[in-house]
Amino acid sequence: MNTKTILSKFPKFMEDWKKYKKKFPGVREWYIASDYCLNKDSEKPTKVITFTLCPAVNLEWLQDQINRFLKSDVKNRKNFSDVEIQFIRDNGYFFSIVIIIKNVDLSLVDKLKQTLDSWIQQLEQGEKMEILQNA
């Protein structure tokens, strides 16, 4: 089985990922959240997919931390206080992968959405995940 992913072609990303994972040596379970801005009719010019990972911690504690430092949804904000920026940059719990989609047929995005459930099932079953290279 080929266990290399397309992300391994980005050395800076791999370096950042390894550095992040070292902070959580005993973690065996992870939360993965995703957010999409892909609407063809959207007022936003950039199409973006974001995946954010964090160690599986007490969700109430995590929500409390977020609520303490971020008083509203960041999507609806243009300005942030120094404290909010520091929390976003330095909290250390979150690792985000942002994919900007330029000049791509959005049917590819539809295919990606369809495979997401399969990826999540693989992760839940502890299988190694492969990113589609011929999507």
Side-chain angles (χ1 to χ4, degrees):
M1 173 192 235
N2 180 4
T3 59
K4 288 205 171 211
T5 69
I6 200 164
L7 295 176
S8 63
K9 294 179 181 180
F10 300 94
K12 175 70 172 123
F13 167 80
M14 294 307 293
E15 178 184 322
D16 290 346
W17 172 244
K18 288 176 184 176
K19 183 178 174 183
Y20 171 78
K21 277 183 43 178
K22 279 184 183 178
K23 294 190 291 186
F24 307 103
V27 172
R28 299 288 178 250
E29 296 183 48
W30 297 85
Y31 295 133
I32 301 173
S34 60
D35 194 15
Y36 311 87
C37 178
L38 302 170
N39 188 341
K40 295 173 189 173
D41 302 324
S42 173
E43 295 175 14
K44 298 182 181 181
T46 305
K47 308 301 182 214
V48 178
I49 300 172
T50 302
F51 296 95
T52 300
L53 295 93
C54 76
V57 296
N58 180 299
L59 282 177
E60 289 178 19
W61 175 85
L62 184 59
Q63 187 65 49
D64 181 59
Q65 293 298 304
I66 293 169
N67 290 340
R68 236 172 85 206
F69 292 99
L70 299 173
K71 302 300 182 193
S72 63
D73 191 335
V74 296
K75 287 189 243 180
N76 302 323
R77 309 266 309 271
K78 291 185 180 183
N79 299 307
F80 295 88
S81 71
D82 290 342
V83 170
E84 292 169 322
I85 291 171
Q86 183 175 354
F87 174 74
I88 292 169
R89 284 186 183 158
D90 300 337
N91 72 64
Y93 280 96
F94 304 104
F95 186 89
S96 293
I97 301 166
V98 179
I99 302 166
I100 299 172
I101 300 173
K102 294 181 180 180
N103 303 322
V104 174
D105 179 1
L106 289 180
S107 65
L108 172 65
V109 173
D110 291 335
K111 187 174 182 179
L112 183 63
K113 286 180 189 178
Q114 291 171 357
T115 61
L116 185 59
D117 285 337
S118 172
W119 292 354
I120 291 170
Q121 288 175 354
Q122 288 177 20
L123 290 171
E124 288 173 345
Q125 296 169 2
E127 296 176 15
K128 294 185 178 181
M129 180 176 68
E130 291 187 52
I131 293 179
L132 295 177
Q133 295 181 11
N134 297 322

